[in-house]
Short mmCIF file of all heavy atoms in Angstrom, two decimals:
data_model
loop_
_atom_site.label_atom_id
_atom_site.label_comp_id
_atom_site.label_asym_id
_atom_site.label_seq_id
_atom_site.Cartn_x
_atom_site.Cartn_y
_atom_site.Cartn_z
N HIS W 1 12.31 14.20 3.53
CA HIS W 1 11.16 15.09 3.30
C HIS W 1 11.01 16.10 4.44
O HIS W 1 10.68 17.25 4.22
CB HIS W 1 9.87 14.29 3.13
CG HIS W 1 9.92 13.38 1.94
ND1 HIS W 1 9.95 13.86 0.66
CD2 HIS W 1 9.96 12.04 1.84
CE1 HIS W 1 9.99 12.84 -0.19
NE2 HIS W 1 10.00 11.73 0.51
N VAL W 2 11.25 15.63 5.64
CA VAL W 2 11.19 16.52 6.80
C VAL W 2 12.63 16.84 7.19
O VAL W 2 13.38 15.95 7.59
CB VAL W 2 10.46 15.85 7.98
CG1 VAL W 2 10.44 16.76 9.18
CG2 VAL W 2 9.06 15.43 7.57
N PRO W 3 13.06 18.08 7.00
CA PRO W 3 14.45 18.41 7.34
C PRO W 3 14.72 18.21 8.83
O PRO W 3 13.93 18.64 9.67
CB PRO W 3 14.60 19.86 6.94
CG PRO W 3 13.29 20.32 6.43
CD PRO W 3 12.32 19.21 6.52
N ILE W 4 15.79 17.54 9.12
CA ILE W 4 16.18 17.34 10.52
C ILE W 4 17.48 18.08 10.77
O ILE W 4 18.28 18.29 9.85
CB ILE W 4 16.32 15.84 10.86
CG1 ILE W 4 17.35 15.16 9.96
CG2 ILE W 4 14.99 15.14 10.76
CD1 ILE W 4 17.60 13.71 10.29
N PRO W 5 17.74 18.48 11.99
CA PRO W 5 19.00 19.17 12.30
C PRO W 5 20.21 18.27 12.02
O PRO W 5 20.13 17.05 12.11
CB PRO W 5 18.89 19.48 13.79
CG PRO W 5 17.45 19.37 14.11
CD PRO W 5 16.86 18.40 13.14
N PHE W 6 21.31 18.91 11.67
CA PHE W 6 22.50 18.16 11.27
C PHE W 6 23.02 17.28 12.40
O PHE W 6 23.46 16.15 12.16
CB PHE W 6 23.58 19.12 10.79
CG PHE W 6 24.73 18.42 10.14
CD1 PHE W 6 24.59 17.86 8.88
CD2 PHE W 6 25.95 18.31 10.79
CE1 PHE W 6 25.65 17.20 8.28
CE2 PHE W 6 27.02 17.66 10.19
CZ PHE W 6 26.86 17.11 8.94
N ALA W 7 22.99 17.76 13.63
CA ALA W 7 23.48 16.96 14.76
C ALA W 7 22.64 15.70 14.94
O ALA W 7 23.17 14.60 15.17
CB ALA W 7 23.45 17.79 16.05
N GLU W 8 21.33 15.84 14.80
CA GLU W 8 20.44 14.66 14.89
C GLU W 8 20.70 13.72 13.72
O GLU W 8 20.67 12.50 13.86
CB GLU W 8 18.99 15.13 14.91
CG GLU W 8 17.99 14.04 15.16
CD GLU W 8 16.58 14.58 15.20
OE1 GLU W 8 16.38 15.70 15.70
OE2 GLU W 8 15.67 13.87 14.73
N PHE W 9 20.93 14.30 12.55
CA PHE W 9 21.23 13.50 11.37
C PHE W 9 22.52 12.70 11.56
O PHE W 9 22.60 11.53 11.19
CB PHE W 9 21.34 14.40 10.13
CG PHE W 9 21.77 13.68 8.90
CD1 PHE W 9 20.88 12.86 8.23
CD2 PHE W 9 23.05 13.80 8.42
CE1 PHE W 9 21.26 12.19 7.09
CE2 PHE W 9 23.45 13.14 7.28
CZ PHE W 9 22.55 12.32 6.62
N MET W 10 23.54 13.31 12.17
CA MET W 10 24.80 12.60 12.40
C MET W 10 24.63 11.46 13.40
O MET W 10 25.26 10.41 13.26
CB MET W 10 25.88 13.58 12.87
CG MET W 10 26.35 14.52 11.78
SD MET W 10 26.90 13.69 10.28
CE MET W 10 28.41 12.95 10.84
N THR W 11 23.76 11.65 14.39
CA THR W 11 23.47 10.56 15.33
C THR W 11 22.80 9.41 14.61
O THR W 11 23.17 8.24 14.80
CB THR W 11 22.57 11.08 16.47
OG1 THR W 11 23.19 12.21 17.08
CG2 THR W 11 22.32 10.00 17.51
N LEU W 12 21.82 9.73 13.78
CA LEU W 12 21.14 8.71 12.98
C LEU W 12 22.13 8.03 12.04
O LEU W 12 22.13 6.81 11.88
CB LEU W 12 20.01 9.36 12.17
CG LEU W 12 19.29 8.48 11.17
CD1 LEU W 12 18.49 7.40 11.89
CD2 LEU W 12 18.39 9.32 10.29
N LEU W 13 23.00 8.82 11.44
CA LEU W 13 23.98 8.29 10.50
C LEU W 13 24.97 7.36 11.18
O LEU W 13 25.32 6.31 10.63
CB LEU W 13 24.72 9.45 9.83
CG LEU W 13 25.70 9.10 8.72
CD1 LEU W 13 25.00 8.35 7.61
CD2 LEU W 13 26.32 10.37 8.18
N SER W 14 25.40 7.69 12.37
CA SER W 14 26.35 6.82 13.07
C SER W 14 25.71 5.48 13.42
O SER W 14 26.35 4.44 13.33
CB SER W 14 26.91 7.51 14.31
OG SER W 14 25.87 7.81 15.21
N SER W 15 24.43 5.49 13.80
CA SER W 15 23.75 4.21 14.09
C SER W 15 23.57 3.40 12.79
O SER W 15 23.71 2.18 12.81
CB SER W 15 22.42 4.44 14.77
OG SER W 15 21.51 5.08 13.90
N ARG W 16 23.30 4.08 11.68
CA ARG W 16 23.18 3.38 10.40
C ARG W 16 24.53 2.79 9.99
O ARG W 16 24.59 1.70 9.42
CB ARG W 16 22.67 4.32 9.32
CG ARG W 16 21.19 4.65 9.50
CD ARG W 16 20.66 5.49 8.40
NE ARG W 16 20.82 4.80 7.12
CZ ARG W 16 20.65 5.37 5.95
NH1 ARG W 16 20.33 6.64 5.88
NH2 ARG W 16 20.80 4.70 4.85
N TYR W 17 25.60 3.53 10.27
CA TYR W 17 26.93 3.03 9.93
C TYR W 17 27.27 1.79 10.74
O TYR W 17 27.85 0.84 10.21
CB TYR W 17 27.98 4.12 10.14
CG TYR W 17 29.37 3.61 9.88
CD1 TYR W 17 29.81 3.37 8.58
CD2 TYR W 17 30.24 3.33 10.93
CE1 TYR W 17 31.06 2.88 8.33
CE2 TYR W 17 31.51 2.84 10.69
CZ TYR W 17 31.92 2.62 9.39
OH TYR W 17 33.16 2.12 9.15
N VAL W 18 26.94 1.79 12.02
CA VAL W 18 27.21 0.62 12.86
C VAL W 18 26.45 -0.58 12.31
O VAL W 18 27.00 -1.69 12.22
CB VAL W 18 26.84 0.91 14.33
CG1 VAL W 18 26.84 -0.35 15.16
CG2 VAL W 18 27.79 1.94 14.91
N ASP W 19 25.18 -0.39 11.92
CA ASP W 19 24.41 -1.48 11.32
C ASP W 19 25.04 -1.97 10.02
O ASP W 19 25.13 -3.17 9.76
CB ASP W 19 22.97 -1.05 11.06
CG ASP W 19 22.19 -0.82 12.34
OD1 ASP W 19 22.62 -1.34 13.40
OD2 ASP W 19 21.16 -0.12 12.29
N PHE W 20 25.49 -1.02 9.18
CA PHE W 20 26.13 -1.37 7.91
C PHE W 20 27.41 -2.16 8.16
O PHE W 20 27.63 -3.21 7.53
CB PHE W 20 26.43 -0.09 7.11
CG PHE W 20 27.33 -0.31 5.93
CD1 PHE W 20 26.84 -0.91 4.78
CD2 PHE W 20 28.66 0.08 5.97
CE1 PHE W 20 27.67 -1.12 3.69
CE2 PHE W 20 29.49 -0.11 4.88
CZ PHE W 20 29.00 -0.71 3.74
N ALA W 21 28.27 -1.67 9.05
CA ALA W 21 29.55 -2.35 9.33
C ALA W 21 29.30 -3.73 9.93
O ALA W 21 29.99 -4.70 9.59
CB ALA W 21 30.40 -1.50 10.26
N HIS W 22 28.31 -3.85 10.81
CA HIS W 22 27.98 -5.15 11.40
C HIS W 22 27.51 -6.12 10.32
O HIS W 22 27.90 -7.29 10.31
CB HIS W 22 26.90 -4.98 12.48
CG HIS W 22 26.56 -6.25 13.16
ND1 HIS W 22 25.50 -7.03 12.77
CD2 HIS W 22 27.14 -6.89 14.21
CE1 HIS W 22 25.44 -8.09 13.53
NE2 HIS W 22 26.43 -8.03 14.43
N GLY W 23 26.68 -5.64 9.40
CA GLY W 23 26.20 -6.50 8.31
C GLY W 23 27.32 -6.95 7.39
O GLY W 23 27.36 -8.11 6.97
N VAL W 24 28.26 -6.06 7.10
CA VAL W 24 29.38 -6.42 6.23
C VAL W 24 30.28 -7.43 6.91
O VAL W 24 30.68 -8.43 6.31
CB VAL W 24 30.18 -5.17 5.81
CG1 VAL W 24 31.49 -5.55 5.15
CG2 VAL W 24 29.37 -4.28 4.89
N LEU W 25 30.60 -7.21 8.17
CA LEU W 25 31.55 -8.08 8.87
C LEU W 25 30.97 -9.42 9.26
O LEU W 25 31.68 -10.43 9.27
CB LEU W 25 32.09 -7.36 10.10
CG LEU W 25 32.95 -6.13 9.81
CD1 LEU W 25 33.31 -5.42 11.11
CD2 LEU W 25 34.19 -6.51 9.03
N THR W 26 29.68 -9.48 9.59
CA THR W 26 29.12 -10.74 10.08
C THR W 26 28.39 -11.54 9.00
O THR W 26 28.47 -12.77 8.99
CB THR W 26 28.14 -10.48 11.23
OG1 THR W 26 27.09 -9.63 10.78
CG2 THR W 26 28.86 -9.88 12.41
N GLU W 27 27.71 -10.87 8.08
CA GLU W 27 26.89 -11.58 7.10
C GLU W 27 27.31 -11.32 5.66
O GLU W 27 26.67 -11.80 4.73
CB GLU W 27 25.43 -11.18 7.26
CG GLU W 27 24.88 -11.45 8.64
CD GLU W 27 23.53 -10.80 8.85
OE1 GLU W 27 22.94 -10.33 7.85
OE2 GLU W 27 23.08 -10.75 9.99
N TRP W 28 28.37 -10.51 5.46
CA TRP W 28 28.83 -10.11 4.13
C TRP W 28 27.69 -9.44 3.35
O TRP W 28 27.54 -9.58 2.14
CB TRP W 28 29.38 -11.31 3.37
CG TRP W 28 30.30 -10.94 2.26
CD1 TRP W 28 30.06 -11.11 0.94
CD2 TRP W 28 31.59 -10.34 2.35
NE1 TRP W 28 31.13 -10.66 0.21
CE2 TRP W 28 32.09 -10.17 1.06
CE3 TRP W 28 32.38 -9.92 3.41
CZ2 TRP W 28 33.33 -9.61 0.79
CZ3 TRP W 28 33.61 -9.36 3.14
CH2 TRP W 28 34.07 -9.22 1.84
N ASP W 29 26.90 -8.66 4.07
CA ASP W 29 25.77 -7.94 3.50
C ASP W 29 26.20 -6.50 3.24
O ASP W 29 26.38 -5.72 4.16
CB ASP W 29 24.58 -7.97 4.47
CG ASP W 29 23.39 -7.19 3.96
OD1 ASP W 29 23.32 -6.93 2.74
OD2 ASP W 29 22.53 -6.84 4.77
N TRP W 30 26.34 -6.13 1.96
CA TRP W 30 26.83 -4.80 1.58
C TRP W 30 25.68 -3.84 1.33
O TRP W 30 25.90 -2.72 0.89
CB TRP W 30 27.71 -4.90 0.34
CG TRP W 30 29.02 -5.53 0.64
CD1 TRP W 30 29.30 -6.86 0.67
CD2 TRP W 30 30.22 -4.87 1.02
NE1 TRP W 30 30.60 -7.07 1.01
CE2 TRP W 30 31.20 -5.86 1.23
CE3 TRP W 30 30.57 -3.54 1.19
CZ2 TRP W 30 32.49 -5.56 1.60
CZ3 TRP W 30 31.87 -3.25 1.55
CH2 TRP W 30 32.82 -4.25 1.77
N GLY W 31 24.48 -4.26 1.58
CA GLY W 31 23.33 -3.37 1.42
C GLY W 31 22.62 -3.59 0.10
O GLY W 31 22.93 -4.48 -0.67
N MET W 32 21.62 -2.73 -0.13
CA MET W 32 20.79 -2.84 -1.33
C MET W 32 21.13 -1.70 -2.29
O MET W 32 21.30 -0.56 -1.88
CB MET W 32 19.31 -2.76 -0.95
CG MET W 32 18.84 -3.86 -0.02
SD MET W 32 18.89 -5.49 -0.75
CE MET W 32 17.49 -5.41 -1.82
N VAL W 33 21.19 -2.03 -3.58
CA VAL W 33 21.38 -1.01 -4.60
C VAL W 33 20.04 -0.34 -4.88
O VAL W 33 19.93 0.87 -4.96
CB VAL W 33 21.95 -1.64 -5.89
CG1 VAL W 33 22.04 -0.61 -6.99
CG2 VAL W 33 23.29 -2.27 -5.60
N ASN W 34 19.03 -1.15 -5.04
CA ASN W 34 17.66 -0.67 -5.12
C ASN W 34 16.79 -1.69 -4.40
O ASN W 34 17.29 -2.56 -3.73
CB ASN W 34 17.23 -0.44 -6.58
CG ASN W 34 17.42 -1.67 -7.44
OD1 ASN W 34 17.29 -2.79 -6.96
ND2 ASN W 34 17.73 -1.48 -8.71
N ARG W 35 15.51 -1.59 -4.54
CA ARG W 35 14.63 -2.47 -3.76
C ARG W 35 14.71 -3.94 -4.17
O ARG W 35 14.33 -4.82 -3.42
CB ARG W 35 13.19 -1.99 -3.90
CG ARG W 35 12.96 -0.70 -3.20
CD ARG W 35 11.51 -0.32 -3.20
NE ARG W 35 11.35 0.90 -2.43
CZ ARG W 35 10.60 1.89 -2.81
NH1 ARG W 35 9.91 1.83 -3.92
NH2 ARG W 35 10.51 2.96 -2.06
N HIS W 36 15.23 -4.21 -5.36
CA HIS W 36 15.20 -5.58 -5.87
C HIS W 36 16.57 -6.23 -6.00
O HIS W 36 16.64 -7.39 -6.34
CB HIS W 36 14.52 -5.60 -7.25
CG HIS W 36 13.18 -4.93 -7.25
ND1 HIS W 36 12.08 -5.46 -6.59
CD2 HIS W 36 12.76 -3.78 -7.80
CE1 HIS W 36 11.05 -4.66 -6.75
NE2 HIS W 36 11.43 -3.62 -7.48
N ARG W 37 17.64 -5.48 -5.76
CA ARG W 37 18.97 -6.02 -6.03
C ARG W 37 19.95 -5.62 -4.93
O ARG W 37 20.04 -4.47 -4.56
CB ARG W 37 19.43 -5.46 -7.37
CG ARG W 37 20.61 -6.15 -7.93
CD ARG W 37 20.83 -5.63 -9.32
NE ARG W 37 21.26 -6.75 -10.13
CZ ARG W 37 21.47 -6.68 -11.41
NH1 ARG W 37 21.23 -5.58 -12.04
NH2 ARG W 37 21.89 -7.72 -12.06
N THR W 38 20.72 -6.62 -4.47
CA THR W 38 21.74 -6.33 -3.47
C THR W 38 23.02 -5.85 -4.17
O THR W 38 23.21 -6.08 -5.37
CB THR W 38 22.07 -7.57 -2.63
OG1 THR W 38 22.66 -8.57 -3.48
CG2 THR W 38 20.83 -8.13 -1.95
N ALA W 39 23.89 -5.23 -3.42
CA ALA W 39 25.15 -4.74 -3.97
C ALA W 39 26.02 -5.91 -4.44
O ALA W 39 26.71 -5.83 -5.45
CB ALA W 39 25.89 -3.90 -2.94
N TRP W 40 25.98 -7.01 -3.70
CA TRP W 40 26.77 -8.18 -4.06
C TRP W 40 26.28 -8.77 -5.38
O TRP W 40 27.09 -9.18 -6.22
CB TRP W 40 26.70 -9.20 -2.93
CG TRP W 40 27.61 -10.36 -3.14
CD1 TRP W 40 27.26 -11.64 -3.36
CD2 TRP W 40 29.04 -10.34 -3.13
NE1 TRP W 40 28.37 -12.42 -3.50
CE2 TRP W 40 29.47 -11.65 -3.36
CE3 TRP W 40 29.98 -9.34 -2.96
CZ2 TRP W 40 30.82 -11.99 -3.43
CZ3 TRP W 40 31.33 -9.69 -3.03
CH2 TRP W 40 31.73 -10.99 -3.25
N ASP W 41 24.97 -8.84 -5.60
CA ASP W 41 24.43 -9.33 -6.87
C ASP W 41 24.85 -8.44 -8.03
O ASP W 41 25.19 -8.93 -9.11
CB ASP W 41 22.90 -9.40 -6.82
CG ASP W 41 22.40 -10.48 -5.88
OD1 ASP W 41 23.16 -11.43 -5.60
OD2 ASP W 41 21.24 -10.36 -5.42
N LEU W 42 24.83 -7.14 -7.82
CA LEU W 42 25.25 -6.21 -8.86
C LEU W 42 26.73 -6.40 -9.18
O LEU W 42 27.13 -6.39 -10.35
CB LEU W 42 24.99 -4.77 -8.43
CG LEU W 42 25.32 -3.71 -9.47
CD1 LEU W 42 24.42 -3.83 -10.69
CD2 LEU W 42 25.18 -2.33 -8.86
N LEU W 43 27.55 -6.60 -8.16
CA LEU W 43 28.97 -6.84 -8.37
C LEU W 43 29.19 -8.11 -9.19
O LEU W 43 29.98 -8.11 -10.14
CB LEU W 43 29.70 -6.93 -7.03
CG LEU W 43 31.18 -7.26 -7.14
CD1 LEU W 43 31.95 -6.05 -7.63
CD2 LEU W 43 31.71 -7.75 -5.83
N LEU W 44 28.51 -9.18 -8.83
CA LEU W 44 28.67 -10.44 -9.56
C LEU W 44 28.17 -10.33 -10.99
O LEU W 44 28.68 -10.99 -11.89
CB LEU W 44 27.94 -11.57 -8.82
CG LEU W 44 28.55 -11.98 -7.48
CD1 LEU W 44 27.70 -13.06 -6.84
CD2 LEU W 44 29.98 -12.44 -7.67
N PHE W 45 27.18 -9.48 -11.23
CA PHE W 45 26.66 -9.28 -12.58
C PHE W 45 27.64 -8.49 -13.43
O PHE W 45 27.85 -8.79 -14.61
CB PHE W 45 25.30 -8.56 -12.51
CG PHE W 45 24.74 -8.22 -13.86
CD1 PHE W 45 24.23 -9.21 -14.68
CD2 PHE W 45 24.72 -6.91 -14.30
CE1 PHE W 45 23.71 -8.90 -15.93
CE2 PHE W 45 24.20 -6.58 -15.54
CZ PHE W 45 23.70 -7.59 -16.35
N LYS W 46 28.27 -7.47 -12.86
CA LYS W 46 29.14 -6.58 -13.63
C LYS W 46 30.59 -7.04 -13.67
O LYS W 46 31.35 -6.59 -14.53
CB LYS W 46 29.08 -5.17 -13.05
CG LYS W 46 27.69 -4.59 -13.10
CD LYS W 46 27.72 -3.22 -13.59
CE LYS W 46 26.28 -2.71 -13.62
NZ LYS W 46 26.07 -1.80 -14.68
N ALA W 47 31.02 -7.90 -12.77
CA ALA W 47 32.42 -8.31 -12.69
C ALA W 47 32.94 -8.97 -13.96
O ALA W 47 34.05 -8.65 -14.40
CB ALA W 47 32.63 -9.21 -11.48
#
């Protein structure tokens, strides 16, 4: 909603990526598809 400069956005994005990669490697957490469903649950449902 509030536009941020691209350089600041990339800094934010890199920290989000580190959190994402840490979650995948340590807890097998691939994130949320929406507020009620994880990506892993969606995969198991559609597989």
Side-chain angles (χ1 to χ4, degrees):
H1 298 292
V2 178
I4 58 177
F6 190 73
E8 186 178 325
F9 175 75
M10 289 307 289
T11 305
L12 174 68
L13 186 58
S14 61
S15 67
R16 287 184 59 192
Y17 176 74
V18 169
D19 292 341
F20 169 75
H22 182 265
V24 169
L25 294 174
T26 59
E27 302 169 12
W28 202 247
D29 178 20
W30 289 86
M32 299 294 285
V33 176
N34 55 32
R35 290 187 177 137
H36 307 292
R37 194 172 218 176
T38 65
W40 187 247
D41 291 337
L42 183 65
L43 176 74
L44 291 178
F45 176 72
K46 299 225 180 213

